[in-house]
Amino acid sequence: MSDMIAVFGPGTLGPIIQRHTSKEVHFWGNDPQQGPDPLLIIDATLGPVPIKRDRLRWVAEQYPQTLILTASSTVLLATQRRWITNPERMIGFDPWLMQIDARVLTVADDGEWRLFHREMLSQIFSGWQWQKIADQVGAVFARVIAPLVNESMAYVSMGITHEDINQAVKLGLNHPKGPLQWTEVFGISQVGLVLQAMHRGMGERFLPHPLIQRQMAEEGVNLDA
Amino acid sequence: MMNTDNLIIVIGSGTMGRGIAQVALSHGFRVHLVDSVQSQRELAHKSISQGIGRALENGQVSPEGTLNWSERLTMGPDWHSLKPSWVIEAIPESMDLKGPLFTKLDEEFGESVWLASNTSSIALTAIQGMATRFPHRVGGLHFFNPVPRMALVEVIAGMATAPNFVSAAHDLVKGWGKEPVTVPDRPGFLVNRVARPYYLEALRMVEEGVVDYADCDRIFEGAGFPMGPFRLMDLVGIDVNFSVSQSVFEQTFYDPRYRPHALQQNKIWLGHLGRKSKRGFYSYE
Ligand SMILES: NC(=O)c1ccc[n+]([C@@H]2O[C@H](COP(=O)([O-])OP(=O)(O)OC[C@H]3O[C@@H](n4cnc5c(N)ncnc54)[C@H](O)[C@@H]3O)[C@@H](O)[C@H]2O)c1
């Protein structure tokens, strides 16, 4: 096994992860590569689900022993574990917390493997605390941020500027970023994927605002595309 | 008798009214502070005096702006024949109180006097419906608590509000060092509406067993929020937070996005309202 960490997902993640580890971080973009077994594979993509599934299957077959940290804010970890061989090596996480380099990152796992996984993650990374949460779409952070962005879209559609919305929320609520600033970090269509997943699993209130739906359509992004 | 120059009438000398008066007085304005309760006026005077003293010490206001502030402040149970440029209402959050007051204000003040409400949840258009003479000069100036420290002011135009109201409101509060943002007259205006998921989804997650409240706070605080949702609800008051959700829920004709949470209702029944009752989600004994 090599000492390398392989990452799929948003390009900004590579440097952030690298700051937290002495291991070498390889950014794989969208195409997993053949080579020596990585120490850890991180799949930070939220969807489309069929693409995520096919890629994880390929990766799991190619690297049957490697620990996999996979975004589980749009697809349950329990579902993803059914896609691969040696499913116990898979841990769920919320990539948005990693993208903003938060101090505490959430993980979904089952009790039995927790200790081993926690030790592995703590050995590989420094400066991140890992908080176990239940395996549920939306996790904790995205569960709140995506609806917050969704709410703000109603104001965008009424002609309120992004600057005004961000300013009001930052000054009025002391949030570290305004709603439209979160979308600059994560991408509107990625927010849409989280909302779509929560809409399916947890109800009507998460229906993405029409502006988000349009953006997703324009980018060809959809949970089942 | 005072003239129109820089005279503001503030009605209600509670938490918000005294804060608004303090800010106006700190920027050279003259203020007539109205409250039906004398003891409230006395408390307000004391609080303004201490507030200005502290703000001066900390360099948050200028000595020129605050100069002779106490000579520029008058108080009383009524406003008699004063001629202000603005009347800002900050009495309790009840249409039964605000409605008749705006009817009276609209009858007594000429068209050129701007009438603003600091309501946090009542539709400005409903208030305009009570000021039928000149509804276009009525709108919202939603300050945040504590007024001297919070820079944001939501400027709210009801359906009948004139564009002039909005520009005059911006000029006024900018002159007080505030940051105005014009927001639509919809339930929760902007800030209180966009904020709902921060509390409601957090409450739902805890109930669903996704995470417990202390870990939930740790996650948000680790992401740069000064306070996690539960610590913040304890600070604001669980009852206050609950009533905002309730009001947005009712005014949106029961949109499920804003459905208040039973966990908060239960805390209220037990008197666990947050810091002010020494117990909320956390204990402050
Ligand atoms: N407290 C907050 O955090 C906050 C924040 C934003 C907006 N607001 C809004 O500001 C308004 C005032 O809230 P508050 O917290 O300052 O209330 P408060 O209860 O502290 O003060 C209200 C004051 O109004 C006086 N009053 C009642 N009826 C009156 C009348 N008819 N004429 C004159 N005075 C009268 C009362 O004696 C009291 O002193 C409400 O509409 C509230 O929703 C409050």
Side-chain angles (χ1 to χ4, degrees):
Chain A
M1 193 177 289
S2 81
D3 236 12
M4 178 265 279
I5 299 171
V7 183
F8 307 112
T12 50
L13 260 185
I16 292 172
I17 296 171
Q18 189 67 80
R19 278 208 295 280
H20 287 269
T21 183
S22 56
K23 318 287 178 202
E24 200 183 323
V25 177
H26 278 207
F27 188 68
W28 273 356
N30 285 323
D31 296 308
Q33 289 155 25
Q34 282 174 324
D37 280 6
L39 180 65
L40 172 71
I41 295 169
I42 301 179
D43 177 358
T45 63
L46 300 179
V49 175
I51 294 174
K52 185 174 169 86
R53 184 189 54 219
D54 292 349
R55 196 167 44 212
L56 277 172
R57 276 192 180 139
W58 187 90
V59 162
E61 269 163 38
Q62 194 70 27
Y63 305 106
Q65 303 305 327
T66 303
L67 191 67
I68 300 173
L69 193 59
T70 181
S72 58
S73 38
T74 48
V75 199
L76 292 180
L77 175 69
T79 305
Q80 297 187 54
R81 280 187 168 168
R82 297 185 67 87
W83 295 342
I84 66 163
T85 50
N86 293 340
E88 324 70 49
R89 62 186 160 136
M90 195 181 236
I91 313 172
F93 85 120
D94 182 347
W96 285 4
L97 284 166
M98 201 179 261
Q99 274 171 264
I100 59 163
D101 202 0
R103 198 167 58 235
V104 182
L105 304 191
T106 56
V107 288
D109 198 351
D110 51 44
E112 213 182 319
W113 281 87
R114 195 155 31 125
L115 187 61
F116 165 69
H117 284 164
R118 198 163 51 202
E119 281 173 359
M120 277 290 282
L121 292 174
S122 310
Q123 267 169 31
I124 298 173
F125 300 108
S126 62
W128 275 330
Q129 298 163 33
W130 303 87
Q131 173 64 51
K132 184 177 177 279
I133 59 167
D135 179 20
Q136 185 158 305
V137 290
V140 170
F141 184 68
R143 163 90 176 249
V144 168
I145 299 302
L148 213 145
V149 170
N150 212 24
E151 288 294 338
S152 74
M153 286 299 149
Y155 296 88
V156 174
S157 70
M158 289 172 166
I160 317 289
T161 66
H162 289 205
E163 290 71 25
D164 273 1
I165 295 170
N166 289 334
Q167 174 87 328
V169 169
K170 283 196 290 186
L171 292 179
L173 300 168
N174 291 319
H175 285 194
K177 287 191 195 314
L180 283 315
Q181 290 175 312
W182 293 120
T183 69
E184 283 163 25
V185 179
F186 306 129
I188 288 207
S189 53
Q190 300 299 299
V191 174
L193 289 177
V194 172
L195 287 168
Q196 223 176 28
M198 296 197 294
H199 180 233
R200 274 180 205 178
M202 296 187 292
E204 201 51 36
R205 68 181 187 275
F206 296 111
L207 182 71
H209 188 275
L211 281 183
I212 298 184
Q213 292 187 36
R214 191 190 308 156
Q215 183 76 24
M216 293 173 81
E218 279 170 14
E219 289 176 29
V221 174
N222 191 301
L223 221 45
D224 346 272
Chain B
M1 195 174 80
M2 291 185 180
N3 65 25
T4 346
D5 291 345
N6 286 355
L7 171 65
I8 310 284
I9 293 180
V10 177
I11 304 182
S13 70
T15 311
M16 298 305 286
R18 61 185 69 165
I20 295 165
Q22 180 186 321
V23 169
L25 290 166
S26 305
H27 292 84
F29 279 72
R30 300 197 291 148
V31 173
H32 181 66
L33 187 52
V34 176
D35 203 298
S36 34
V37 180
Q38 189 183 343
S39 59
Q40 281 292 84
R41 300 198 298 268
E42 286 163 7
L43 283 173
H45 196 284
K46 211 166 131 192
S47 145
I48 291 170
S49 172
Q50 286 169 348
I52 290 182
R54 249 196 326 267
L56 269 173
E57 267 172 39
N58 300 337
Q60 289 153 342
V61 290
S62 72
E64 303 82 65
T66 51
L67 194 67
N68 299 333
W69 69 267
S70 61
E71 288 161 29
R72 288 184 274 112
L73 172 63
T74 55
M75 290 185 160
D78 210 332
W79 50 82
H80 304 298
S81 50
L82 296 176
K83 291 195 164 47
S85 51
W86 282 85
V87 178
I88 303 176
E89 167 276 314
I91 67 171
E93 189 72 350
S94 149
M95 194 56 190
D96 291 342
L97 294 174
K98 292 189 199 279
L101 176 62
F102 272 86
T103 304
K104 191 167 168 207
L105 293 172
D106 185 46
E107 279 163 7
E108 292 189 15
F109 289 104
E111 189 178 2
S112 64
V113 178
W114 303 115
L115 305 182
S117 174
N118 184 49
T119 176
S120 41
S121 65
I122 297 173
L124 265 304
T125 307
I127 293 176
Q128 289 180 320
M130 300 299 289
T132 49
R133 210 160 68 110
F134 303 119
H136 53 269
R137 48 77 175 267
V138 178
L141 277 181
H142 185 211
F143 290 83
F144 290 74
N145 184 22
V147 181
R149 284 221 311 274
M150 297 292 281
L152 181 67
V153 180
E154 289 185 320
V155 176
I156 304 135
M159 192 169 261
T161 305
N164 285 355
F165 173 94
V166 174
S167 47
H170 275 246
D171 291 345
L172 178 76
V173 303
K174 274 188 196 157
W176 295 351
K178 300 290 182 200
E179 292 276 352
V181 172
T182 306
V183 303
D185 186 22
R186 63 200 297 260
F189 308 128
L190 190 153
V191 165
N192 279 336
R193 176 81 164 245
V194 171
R196 280 358 289 149
Y198 192 63
Y199 312 108
L200 291 173
E201 291 307 326
L203 287 158
R204 290 167 185 146
M205 281 191 276
V206 165
E207 188 188 45
E208 291 161 14
V210 177
V211 67
D212 71 32
Y213 65 88
D215 287 336
C216 182
D217 279 351
R218 222 165 61 82
I219 291 162
F220 282 95
E221 286 160 19
F225 289 78
M227 280 192 196
F230 294 93
R231 219 182 292 287
L232 187 53
M233 285 186 265
D234 270 6
L235 177 72
V236 171
I238 293 173
D239 52 339
V240 173
N241 185 275
F242 180 76
S243 80
V244 178
S245 293
Q246 204 168 18
S247 136
V248 173
F249 182 54
E250 285 165 8
Q251 290 186 67
T252 53
F253 304 105
Y254 309 102
D255 185 328
R257 282 183 290 179
Y258 313 111
R259 175 165 300 145
H261 202 277
L263 184 52
Q264 283 190 314
Q265 174 69 84
N266 289 339
K267 293 260 174 206
I268 294 166
W269 280 333
L270 289 177
H272 299 172
L273 306 180
R275 283 196 197 182
K276 63 185 170 190
S277 66
K278 301 237 181 300
R279 195 159 168 194
F281 291 100
Y282 297 89
S283 171
Y284 303 89
E285 296 294 354

